[in-house]
Amino acid sequence: MIDRRIKFRHIQCFVEIVRQQSMKRAAERLHLTQPAISKTLKELEEIIGAALLVRNRAGVALTRQGEVFLHFAEMSVAALQQGLDGVEQLGRGDRATLSVGALPSVAARLMPDVAREFAELAPETTLRITDGPHAYLIDQLRRGNLDLVIGRLGPPDTMKGISFTQLYNEYVEFVVRCGHPLLNDPDMRRIGEWTVIFPPEASAIRSLVERVLIAHGVGDIPHRIESVSGAFGRNYARKSDAIWIISAGVVANEIAEGSLVRLPFDNAITSGPVGLMARPDGQSTPEEQVFRVAINNVVAKLPA
């Protein structure tokens, strides 16, 4: 049971101190005096029975207990703000909209569950999902047409001015239809004997695929189609002898169902981080904060 001595002002002060990295700036943001905000933090620490913050030359730093508590404190503040905004929007008769870009692997594997979770947490918000290649979605994020993007970390030159919060790691897979001739004698050096569906230049996984091919001595691939389209790849690979090179999340369901088969190649060096990308140009909206809660809830349930 939650200790009834904990009030919203305690949570709000703690979260704002961490965000501002300063007791003075947090007090100014909350229109309080510095002694008042210090007293509120001290009350919270006494109720919890642990120090949450320590002061240093840079301002303040979280203790281990503070790191644990911060996650849930931010969720509480975000959820309450979302509720208040929801009541206000209902009174005005309008709805908030959150625009999220999802790379193909995330759109197929993660977004259906995230959308359901978000709908439960924020039923008054319209979620608008756009899928596409990495370069396109990052450009839309920079232009302000998207609020967030979920997908693989791109090359350094594409990530300038973009914040990235890692969620999990993902591999690139080589998949084929059931009964494909290469399944009888799997050898990555032979993939050039068939058509290969290859990630295009602008995709986040292109450099990883090129690296693994070089590492395994794979030469030129004379017959290839460049695409990260999940719809095209699924249909083409199932109806032909093509080899599809794609992020694991795109084909996770097909592999589980048995409609596509993973070639047993060593793909360890294709592992890369998948995360949440945003413009670091200000505080998150309540809708973005709740979306972060939704996606963290879903990721926590993913198999290790």
Side-chain angles (χ1 to χ4, degrees), residues 12-86:
Q12 187 181 37
C13 283
F14 170 66
V15 169
E16 197 60 40
I17 292 169
V18 175
R19 285 176 178 169
Q20 300 300 323
Q21 289 293 294
S22 162
M23 302 280 280
K24 181 181 178 181
R25 288 196 296 270
E28 291 172 352
R29 286 295 299 267
L30 296 175
H31 305 290
L32 297 171
T33 64
Q34 195 167 337
I37 203 169
S38 297
K39 179 183 177 183
T40 302
L41 175 63
K42 184 179 179 181
E43 289 175 358
L44 177 61
E45 291 177 324
E46 289 175 351
I47 294 170
I48 293 175
L52 301 176
L53 295 170
V54 292
R55 297 193 186 199
N56 55 33
R57 290 185 178 180
V60 296
L62 288 163
T63 63
R64 292 190 65 182
Q65 292 90 339
E67 290 176 356
V68 172
F69 188 70
L70 176 64
H71 172 68
F72 297 99
E74 287 182 324
M75 288 172 56
S76 300
V77 172
L80 181 58
Q81 185 62 59
Q82 183 72 18
L84 293 172
D85 289 348

Side-chain angles (χ1 to χ4, degrees), residues 93-125:
D94 60 4
R95 293 173 63 88
T97 298
L98 182 68
S99 298
V100 177
L103 268 73
S105 62
V106 174
R109 182 189 186 191
L110 206 65
M111 282 308 294
D113 291 334
V114 172
R116 283 191 290 269
E117 183 79 10
F118 184 72
E120 291 182 7
L121 294 174
E124 69 288 344
T125 300

Side-chain angles (χ1 to χ4, degrees), residues 18-275:
V18 175
R19 285 176 178 169
Q20 300 300 323
Q21 289 293 294
S22 162
M23 302 280 280
K24 181 181 178 181
R25 288 196 296 270
E28 291 172 352
R29 286 295 299 267
L30 296 175
H31 305 290
L32 297 171
T33 64
Q34 195 167 337
I37 203 169
S38 297
K39 179 183 177 183
T40 302
L41 175 63
K42 184 179 179 181
E43 289 175 358
L44 177 61
E45 291 177 324
E46 289 175 351
I47 294 170
I48 293 175
L52 301 176
L53 295 170
V54 292
R55 297 193 186 199
N56 55 33
R57 290 185 178 180
V60 296
L62 288 163
T63 63
R64 292 190 65 182
Q65 292 90 339
E67 290 176 356
V68 172
F69 188 70
L70 176 64
H71 172 68
F72 297 99
E74 287 182 324
M75 288 172 56
S76 300
V77 172
L80 181 58
Q81 185 62 59
Q82 183 72 18
L84 293 172
D85 289 348
V87 171
E88 182 181 352
Q89 287 158 13
L90 286 173
R92 295 197 310 261
D94 60 4
R95 293 173 63 88
T97 298
L98 182 68
S99 298
V100 177
L103 268 73
S105 62
V106 174
R109 182 189 186 191
L110 206 65
M111 282 308 294
D113 291 334
V114 172
R116 283 191 290 269
E117 183 79 10
F118 184 72
E120 291 182 7
L121 294 174
E124 69 288 344
T125 300
T126 298
L127 180 62
R128 182 180 296 141
I129 301 171
T130 301
D131 66 350
H134 183 272
Y136 170 73
L137 294 180
I138 292 299
D139 178 65
Q140 292 298 298
L141 178 64
R142 284 199 173 96
R143 292 173 181 269
N145 297 327
L146 293 174
D147 300 308
L148 299 165
V149 171
I150 315 173
R152 273 198 179 238
L153 178 66
D157 61 314
T158 69
M159 297 298 295
K160 291 178 182 177
I162 300 295
S163 68
F164 181 86
T165 304
Q166 184 170 346
L167 298 169
Y168 58 90
N169 283 314
E170 183 179 60
Y171 293 93
V172 172
E173 298 285 17
F174 292 67
V175 296
V176 293
R177 65 168 177 81
C178 295
H180 192 283
L182 193 53
L183 290 169
N184 297 323
D185 183 23
D187 185 341
M188 193 182 296
R189 291 170 298 182
R190 295 183 57 206
I191 66 172
E193 297 175 22
W194 295 274
T195 298
V196 176
I197 307 174
F198 203 84
E201 193 72 41
S203 67
I205 64 173
R206 172 71 172 244
S207 61
L208 295 171
V209 171
E210 291 175 338
R211 191 187 311 165
V212 75
L213 294 180
I214 292 171
H216 287 81
V218 178
D220 183 48
I221 300 174
H223 306 292
R224 73 184 189 186
I225 300 170
E226 296 196 356
S227 175
V228 289
S229 168
F232 170 78
R234 290 183 188 93
N235 283 286
Y236 195 84
R238 281 196 297 244
K239 296 176 181 179
S240 70
D241 283 339
I243 298 167
W244 188 15
I245 307 176
I246 194 68
S247 293
V250 178
V251 290
N253 293 333
E254 285 71 24
I255 292 174
E257 294 165 356
S259 58
L260 290 174
V261 181
R262 175 186 177 273
L263 286 165
F265 295 156
D266 179 6
N267 62 352
I269 65 173
T270 67
S271 176
V274 173

